[in-house]
Amino acid sequence: EEAAVRLIQASNTYYVIGLNEFGCADTARIMVEAEPCCEAVMPNAFSPNGDGLNDQFGPVTNGTPQDYTFHIINRWGEKIFVRYNINDRWKGLYQDGRPAETGTYYYMVTGTCYDGTPMKLKGDVTLVR
């Protein structure tokens, strides 16, 4: 059976137990090395129109930074979206649930990688309806 796990440290040890059809058990230890989490990219546009394609916006990474923050700001400097979990994506809504207008918004992503390297991304994204 497969399981997806986010790796937080550079070296990770997992213990597995297997059972055969007779109930006999065996164990194994698996070492998994993590990729650096500071390698992230940001799309430059998205379309939150409910079609299932590019409906959400956020960093694309395999890593899990610590002290993570993701901000979206409109052209007037108003905070539209703030999250602290790498899996949370902006769906093109204000914090009160109203749809944000078509246009350019600004993002800033900060965090710390497992090796202590700071993660900082900033730029703009175009919201298209």
Side-chain angles (χ1 to χ4, degrees):
E1 187 173 318
E2 288 186 33
V5 176
R6 287 206 175 262
L7 304 175
I8 296 175
Q9 300 175 350
S11 292
N12 300 269
T13 303
Y14 293 95
Y15 296 91
V16 293
I17 300 172
L19 295 171
N20 68 12
E21 65 271 14
F22 305 110
C24 295
D26 196 3
T27 61
R29 181 177 71 173
I30 300 169
M31 298 292 295
V32 180
E33 298 296 318
E35 295 281 330
C37 72
C38 286
E39 295 177 11
V41 295
M42 296 293 281
N44 60 6
F46 80 119
S47 59
N49 57 12
D51 67 357
L53 301 170
N54 303 314
D55 284 335
Q56 300 179 17
F57 172 74
V60 178
T61 180
N62 289 331
T64 306
Q66 298 173 0
D67 304 320
Y68 173 82
T69 306
F70 177 27
H71 292 271
I72 299 289
I73 301 164
N74 67 12
R75 62 183 171 176
W76 297 284
E78 181 183 11
K79 284 186 185 176
I80 303 297
F81 179 85
V82 179
R83 291 295 184 276
Y84 305 98
N85 183 319
I86 190 76
N87 298 313
D88 291 345
R89 301 282 187 248
W90 185 41
K91 297 176 182 150
L93 303 173
Y94 284 91
Q95 293 190 50
D96 65 7
R98 291 179 293 129
E101 301 85 21
T102 295
T104 302
Y105 293 83
Y106 304 92
Y107 64 84
M108 185 164 59
V109 175
T110 59
T112 305
C113 292
Y114 67 80
D115 65 357
T117 304
M119 174 186 201
K120 187 167 188 177
L121 302 167
K122 61 182 180 176
D124 59 80
V125 61
T126 303
L127 187 155
V128 181
R129 295 234 180 243

